[in-house]
Each structure stands twice: as C-alpha cells, then as structure tokens.
Amino acid sequence: LPRHILGDLSAKDLQENELANRSPIGWGPFQIEDWVEGDRIEAVRNPFYFRQDEGLPYFDRLIYRFLGSDPRAALQQLLTTECDVLDESLLPEEIWPDLIALGEEGRFQLLDTPAAEVVRLEFNTDPIGRPGEAFFQSLELRQAVAACIDRQRLVEAGMAGMGTLASSFHNYAGLDGLDLSNLAYNPEQAKELIRFLGWVDDDEDPETPHSGWGVPGVYNGKRLDTTLLVLNTDPLDLIADELQSMLFDCGIHLDIEGVSAEELSGGYSDGVVFSRDFDMALWTWPDWRLPLCEMFASREIPSVQNPYGVNASGFSDQAYDLACDRVLLGDHEGGNESIATMQAIFLDQLPALPLFQPPRLLALADDVCGITVDAITPSLLWEIEAVARGEGCD
C-alpha cells in the first residue's frame, strides 16, 4: 500500500511532499485528523491499531499544541490546565528551579531520569605542538584536578541539583566494585599532589598560578596556566565558571575559551580538540547501552593517517584496548567483565573526568499517568498509547 500511495515520488521529493509529511504512513495508535500549521495537530484513535484488543490507546483524541519558544508561558498553560503534558523541548535549564519549586508544591508531576549522555572534562594526555606545556601527561596532575573538583557543587550550580553524578564514561554496566576514589572531592590532597609534582607558589601571591620546577614535560618556571575549551553556545557556561573557581583554589589558573562547534568537533586537521592542541575540554558525549569505549582506544587516536579518530585525549593502554575490542566484537560470556576491566583502567588513569549526567524531564498534570521517562528514546512520549488519566490510572 505505501508504494502505491507514494511510489511515484523520489527520495528527494519525499522530503518536500505535503502528503508524505502531513499524513505520514504508519501503524501507530493515532491518525492525524487535522494539522493547523503553527498552532496544533489533532489526532484520533487508529481503528486499525494492532493493540486495540488491549484497550489501547486509552484516549480517543489527542491534541498536540505548539506553544512557541517561551518556556514560562508554556509552564503557565500546564498550571492553568490548558495542557496536560509539557514535552522536554519546553523545559530548558533556565526554568528548572521553578519546576522544582512548583513540583514540590504539588502543582504538577515532574518526571526525570538521567540522560544517556555524560558531561566530562577531557584531558590532553599527549599534546602535539606544545613544547614545555605537557601539563596533563602527568597522571598525578590529572588526579589533582579531579580532587579539586566538587562534582556535586557543579550539579547544584549548573543543573539546579537535578543532574546525576557519573561513575564513569559508561554508566549502565560493569560498575559494581569499581574503585571510585579518583573521583572523590579532596582539595587538600589535591594541593599536596600539586606540590609533590614540583608546582610551587614561588611568588607567594595567591592571585597567580603555581610555577613548575623539575616537572617532566614542562619548562622550568612555567606557570600552571591552563585553558578550558567549551562550546560557545553551550549551556555549560555555569559549569565552566565553577571549574575555574575550584581550580583557582588549588593554584591552577584556568582560562575559559569559547569555541565554535567546528573547532570543537572538527577532525585532526580542522578542530582544536582532535588535533590535541588544547589543555582541557568540557563537553558532552553519549552514554549508550553498549559502551562507546573506542573514545579512549589507541586505534582511535587522531592523526594524519586517521584524521577522524575520536580519542581526543591521546590516551593509550593495551589492556584497555583488548577489553574494549572484546566488548565491541560481542563477547557475550565475558561482556560485563570486559566492561568492568576497561572502566577500572579508565578510572585509574583518568584520561577524562566524568562529571554528571544531565536529566531528561517531563512535566504533567497530577491526574495523568502511563508515561515512562526512558533515557534512550528519541521522544519521551514514546508510549503515548499508554497515557491515561483520572480513574484510568487506578
């Protein structure tokens, strides 16, 4: 049937065709009855839905309203019962404090789950073209930076307390029994590590960074003056400011440099990070059910021969590589053991510091139920047929 309806259209024409875009072919619980551009989509029960014998969907009619780009105006419509569910696209970070306060007052339900992504601080463990400034070749300095950082404070400052601390770059399997001591906040230990490495406060001026004397890979007298790259349109600016303050207290000066998406994610010859011409980078990476362990695999170190490698840190460890390969090749019997092995190596060597997982959110009226907030789904309304209200929630 689909071929008869759209068979005369090329793949390119499908993108612009009104029938294909306004009346999509599918087998879901609802059919589009009306679409008023910029205002609403009205959908009605699909009489051919394959789960109708189960009584699904629970609603005969659904109205999707387009509420514009003002999240506070959208929130007001939930409070006045003009809407029953607010999609996460209308719940940006700027209104999270209001969401928390109103939710605690019982004005609506706030559902959340950790997103399938991790905000992390990437270290350049093998810099290119930066003679005398190989700060983070030193594991001890990476450990010191980690100990300087109060990750819960970052969550409070940048996520209104709604983020979840990340245990590793992958938070779905292999975490039991891992040593998380390198993630602990311990500024006094950090300062001691920094002094042990040869970074000293030689001018006794708390406003200036420490200087290195006898530090491997660093010119004598070089200030511990580092740069943090962050996307210039990223909502992580509050996190970057907090990092700057925390590291300053440990004697590490941190300049924050906003870069474009092209500079941050460009390949070996185009981007700043993947060409390893940086000190630290603050960014977000996916955290899927299958760990993206190639992010720290030796074969993924970017180079002229491998310009699109994804190991920006330059980290290399044979045992890690072997465990990662076993996971990616589908070692079902030893899968979790291999995941645990590579995460133990990651946490021991700290090529990056996992900070937190931001939340995915839905706000809905108190009498609405049936929605499961799943981190992996493209849309949190993936179970729309199961949404019920009032007595249907019993």
Side-chain angles (χ1 to χ4, degrees):
L1 180 60
R3 187 170 64 182
H4 291 293
I5 296 173
L6 304 173
D8 294 333
L9 299 174
S10 68
K12 181 179 179 181
D13 292 336
L14 282 173
Q15 299 179 34
E16 306 295 334
N17 183 269
E18 183 169 347
L19 178 63
N21 287 282
R22 294 302 181 98
S23 301
I25 299 168
W27 51 87
F30 294 97
Q31 296 175 328
I32 293 177
E33 182 181 69
D34 191 22
W35 189 329
V36 180
E37 187 169 354
D39 184 68
R40 69 188 184 278
I41 296 175
E42 297 187 25
V44 296
R45 180 192 293 266
N46 178 5
F48 305 106
Y49 183 47
F50 70 97
R51 296 183 66 188
Q52 61 179 317
D53 292 344
E54 302 174 44
L56 299 174
Y58 291 130
F59 281 98
D60 293 326
R61 176 178 293 271
L62 284 178
I63 300 176
Y64 294 85
R65 297 180 56 201
F66 305 121
L67 300 181
S69 58
D70 184 348
R72 297 188 188 282
L75 183 58
Q76 188 63 32
Q77 299 226 1
L78 179 65
L79 294 171
T80 57
T81 70
E82 295 171 85
C83 287
D84 298 301
V85 179
L86 282 187
D87 181 66
E88 62 184 328
S89 61
L90 288 167
L91 303 174
E93 292 88 341
E94 65 192 77
I95 67 165
W96 287 359
D98 293 340
L99 287 177
I100 295 171
L102 291 169
E104 290 175 348
E105 292 175 9
R107 304 289 297 277
F108 51 75
Q109 301 177 70
L110 186 62
L111 305 183
D112 69 281
T113 193
E117 56 187 37
V118 174
V119 177
R120 73 180 192 231
L121 183 65
E122 201 88 4
F123 298 111
N124 186 353
T125 70
D126 187 19
I128 294 176
R130 301 170 70 89
E133 298 182 17
F135 299 125
F136 297 111
Q137 279 185 345
S138 166
L139 168 60
E140 289 81 6
L141 186 57
R142 301 197 297 270
Q143 291 173 329
V145 168
C148 283
I149 295 173
D150 184 345
R151 298 185 302 145
Q152 185 59 47
R153 179 174 142 193
L154 295 181
V155 170
E156 298 293 336
M159 298 281 118
M162 297 185 68
T164 301
L165 295 185
S167 297
S168 182
F169 69 91
H170 175 70
N171 291 273
Y172 287 103
L175 296 173
D176 293 342
L178 287 181
D179 180 3
L180 304 181
S181 59
N182 271 345
L183 306 182
Y185 176 54
N186 191 336
E188 292 308 313
Q189 181 186 45
K191 294 173 185 177
E192 184 60 34
L193 260 177
I194 289 171
R195 286 193 295 269
F196 170 78
L197 289 170
W199 296 101
V200 297
D201 185 12
D202 54 358
D203 61 2
E204 298 183 355
D205 183 352
E207 297 300 316
T208 61
H210 289 18
S211 300
W213 296 96
V215 179
V218 177
Y219 292 143
N220 281 338
K222 176 67 182 177
R223 296 284 188 182
L224 192 44
D225 194 348
T226 65
T227 300
L228 175 69
L229 301 182
V230 64
L231 193 64
N232 53 19
T233 58
D234 205 301
L236 296 177
D237 52 341
L238 289 176
I239 302 297
D241 290 342
E242 288 291 329
L243 288 172
Q244 184 181 54
S245 174
M246 292 175 189
L247 295 186
F248 177 82
D249 290 341
C250 287
I252 302 173
H253 185 264
L254 186 66
D255 287 318
I256 300 171
E257 181 180 339
V259 295
S260 67
E262 292 77 14
E263 291 175 298
L264 193 69
S265 60
Y268 180 75
S269 59
D270 303 315
V272 178
V273 179
F274 288 106
S275 63
R276 298 206 303 284
D277 186 18
F278 74 104
D279 296 322
M280 291 179 281
L282 182 66
W283 55 2
T284 304
W285 275 79
D287 183 18
W288 295 339
R289 304 290 187 193
L290 182 69
L292 298 178
C293 55
E294 58 267 39
M295 295 182 293
F296 302 103
S298 301
R299 67 174 181 279
E300 287 292 335
I301 295 176
S303 64
V304 174
Q305 294 76 27
N306 185 29
Y308 299 108
V310 295
N311 182 353
S313 70
F315 174 71
S316 180
D317 184 280
Q318 287 185 346
Y320 177 95
D321 293 344
L322 179 59
C324 179
D325 287 345
R326 285 175 173 168
V327 171
L328 296 181
L329 291 173
D331 178 9
H332 300 294
E333 292 185 2
N336 278 359
E337 181 180 348
S338 294
I339 292 173
T341 295
M342 66 188 181
Q343 295 204 111
I345 295 170
F346 169 83
L347 290 169
D348 180 63
Q349 296 297 310
L350 283 185
L353 176 65
L355 299 176
F356 58 85
Q357 295 172 268
R360 293 190 71 177
L361 305 171
L362 273 183
L364 54 151
D366 279 333
D367 62 345
V368 173
C369 64
I371 296 180
T372 302
V373 180
D374 189 314
I376 299 294
T377 57
S379 170
L380 295 183
L381 301 177
W382 65 288
E383 285 185 310
I384 193 67
E385 72 276 13
V387 175
R389 71 180 313 161
E391 294 181 358
C393 293
D394 296 334

